[in-house]
């Protein structure tokens, strides 16, 4: 343009651009830590898309010291798609010290919002210290049943522990069935009632240290020993009195040994009052035969001639025995005192007639 006018041919032009920052923040922000090591995090930060994404191109997620600001380094950027999006926090990530929040802001080419949406970073972790020990003594002496107190010695450091889980465990010391959870700081012993059935496959007790986020995968163990009196008993007992005197016996008691002697160390013999061989029928002992000294299918116990016996005895009883006691039942045979009666009147005279 000059004094003569304006040159309309060579006029430069530029489009008018309305620059604007996003006005809609993400509607939500969520994070669940999947790295269960204390001080480390990993997982997805899920961003709930803004109600209006017309001028939003992406979302940036920062570490923050507070729920509303004091930003630290960015954790990642996700492109706006019209749907919820997420960024991945890789395994073993250590957040910047003092930055306990994620904060997400909406962004475009002109910049980003001054405010955003936040969520607290919850560091989920499991303990690293096991219980020091676990012990158990079975006081139920019947096979297949257990009872007694399981004693747990707590971890040397319980800082990260809120509870303990007590399990039956299999032969590989892996959890088989949960018995009980015990709160940290309480009396950790647990009593099993007498007569508790021993679960199939249970070979150990296992105790795992736990927090609100889960339990350790390894812990303290102790063998589950089902202490029991023998269940294998002799199959037969026989006796024939060889002493012909009244109220006296003598001879050999013969026992047919148990089909398995894996749970017994000896056989015990008693005088008894019943054909039902139980403890209530016992009067007094006859003797004992150690398994270690036996051979063959039979065991023999000798009763000396002229041995007196309790006159109330009607049977001989035989039981199996080990270091914990005797079998609940046994076998019996009737006690028959065989006697020959001789005349008690002398012959005063005799006669002979020759024919």
């Amino acid at each position: 343009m000059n004094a003569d006018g304006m040159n309309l041919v060579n006029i430069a032009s530029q489009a008018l651009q309305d620059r604007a920052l996003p006005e809609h923040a993400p509607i939500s922000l969520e994070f669940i830590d999947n790295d269960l090591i204390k001080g480390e995090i990993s997982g997805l930060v899920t961003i709930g898309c803004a109600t209006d994404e017309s001028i939003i191109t992406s979302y940036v997620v920062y570490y923050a010291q507070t729920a509303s600001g004091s930003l630290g380094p960015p954790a990642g950027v996700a492109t706006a798609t019209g749907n919820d999006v997420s960024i991945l926090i890789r395994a073993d990530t250590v957040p910047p010290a003092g930055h306990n929040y994620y904060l997400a802001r909406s962004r475009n080419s002109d910049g980003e919002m001054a405010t955003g949406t936040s969520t607290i970073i919850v560091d989920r972790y499991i303990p690293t210290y096991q219980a020091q020990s676990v012990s158990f003594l079975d006081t139920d002496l019947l096979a297949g049943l257990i009872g007694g107190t399981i004693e747990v010695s707590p971890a040397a450091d319980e800082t990260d522990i809120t509870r303990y889980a007590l399990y039956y465990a299999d032969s590989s010391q892996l959890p088989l069935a949960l018995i009980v959870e015990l709160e940290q700081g309480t009396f950790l012993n647990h009593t099993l009632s007498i007569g508790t059935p021993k679960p199939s496959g249970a070979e150990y007790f296992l105790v795992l240290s736990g927090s609100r986020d889960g339990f350790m995968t390894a812990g303290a163990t102790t063998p589950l020993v089902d202490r029991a009196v023998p269940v294998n008993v002799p199959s037969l007992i026989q006796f024939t009195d060889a002493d012909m005197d009244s109220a006296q016996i003598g001879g050999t008691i013969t026992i047919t040994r148990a089909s398995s002697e894996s749970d017994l160390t000896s056989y015990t013999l008693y005088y008894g009052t019943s054909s039902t061989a139980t403890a209530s029928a016992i009067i007094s002992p006859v003797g004992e035969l150690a398994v270690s000294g036996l051979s063959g299918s039979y065991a023999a116990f000798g009763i000396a001639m002229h041995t007196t016996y309790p006159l109330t005895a009607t049977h001989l009883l035989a039981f199996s025995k080990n270091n914990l006691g005797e079998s609940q039942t046994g076998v019996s045979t009737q006690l028959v005192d065989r006697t020959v009666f001789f005349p008690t009147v002398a012959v005063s005279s005799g006669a002979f007639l020759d024919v």
Side-chain angles (χ1 to χ4, degrees):
M1 181 177 180
N2 57 25
D4 299 322
M6 179 181 296
N7 184 350
L8 299 177
V9 177
N10 296 319
I11 293 177
S13 65
Q14 183 175 357
L16 177 63
Q17 294 183 348
D18 182 9
R19 300 175 67 244
L21 297 177
E23 298 178 349
H24 296 85
I27 62 171
S28 63
L29 192 65
E30 297 179 355
F31 172 71
I32 297 178
D33 177 24
N34 294 323
D35 188 318
L36 297 181
I37 297 176
K38 189 175 184 180
E40 298 179 359
I41 59 173
S42 69
L44 293 176
V45 180
T46 302
I47 305 162
C49 64
T51 55
D52 183 351
E53 285 190 325
S54 57
I55 61 171
I56 298 174
T57 59
S58 61
Y59 301 97
V60 59
V61 178
Y62 293 95
Y63 289 100
Q65 294 183 16
T66 69
S68 58
S70 300
L71 301 184
V77 177
T79 301
T81 65
N83 297 303
D84 294 350
V85 291
S86 60
I87 64 169
L88 174 65
I89 306 300
R90 298 188 179 279
D92 307 325
T93 295
V94 179
H99 292 70
N100 299 321
Y101 292 85
Y102 282 124
L103 189 146
R105 289 180 171 181
S106 301
R107 171 188 280 186
N108 63 19
S109 58
D110 294 323
E112 61 189 45
M113 292 181 65
T115 59
T117 304
S118 65
T119 187
I120 192 169
I121 300 172
V122 178
D123 181 12
R124 299 173 66 238
Y125 56 86
I126 58 176
T128 56
Y129 284 88
Q130 299 179 3
Q132 295 182 70
S133 65
V134 56
S135 61
F136 174 73
L137 179 66
D138 179 23
T139 55
D140 184 312
L141 300 183
L142 297 181
L145 301 176
I146 57 176
T149 300
I150 306 169
E151 299 182 354
V152 178
S153 179
D157 185 342
E158 293 188 301
T159 303
D160 300 331
I161 297 173
T162 60
R163 53 186 175 158
Y164 296 91
L166 184 60
Y167 289 90
Y168 293 110
D170 62 18
S171 58
S172 299
Q173 301 184 21
L174 298 176
L176 188 64
L178 177 66
I179 300 171
V180 68
E181 285 192 12
L182 303 167
E183 294 298 318
Q184 180 270 339
T186 63
F187 186 66
L188 295 182
N189 295 350
H190 178 73
T191 299
L192 296 176
S193 300
I194 296 297
T196 298
K198 177 178 175 289
S200 176
E203 300 293 337
Y204 290 86
F205 287 111
L206 165 69
V207 59
L208 300 178
S209 302
S211 68
R212 66 180 186 277
D213 301 314
F215 291 92
M216 298 179 66
T217 56
T221 62
T222 191
L224 196 173
V225 179
D226 181 9
R227 301 169 70 240
V229 296
V231 295
N232 295 295
V233 298
S235 58
L236 186 67
I237 179 174
Q238 296 174 300
F239 174 72
T240 299
D241 180 21
D243 186 306
M244 297 294 106
D245 292 335
S246 178
Q248 297 181 8
I249 59 174
T252 300
I253 301 174
T254 303
I255 297 172
T256 302
R257 297 167 65 181
S259 58
S260 171
E261 295 179 330
S262 59
D263 61 348
L264 60 101
T265 55
S266 64
Y267 295 102
T268 50
L269 306 172
Y270 294 93
Y271 295 111
T273 59
S274 172
S275 60
T276 302
T278 60
S280 62
I282 293 174
I283 298 176
S284 59
V286 175
E288 185 170 349
L289 293 166
V291 169
S292 59
L294 302 178
S295 61
S297 301
Y298 302 95
F301 183 86
I303 296 180
M305 302 298 286
H306 309 301
T307 296
T308 58
Y309 62 91
L311 296 181
T312 55
T314 59
H315 290 76
L316 291 170
L317 314 177
F319 298 86
S320 296
K321 181 181 177 181
N322 62 19
N323 64 313
L324 299 176
E326 294 179 335
S327 56
Q328 295 290 294
T329 60
V331 291
S332 69
T333 188
Q334 188 173 9
L335 176 58
V336 178
D337 182 3
R338 299 172 68 237
T339 304
V340 174
F341 291 97
F342 293 96
T344 58
V345 179
V347 176
S348 60
S349 62
F352 174 73
L353 178 63
D354 183 12
V355 294

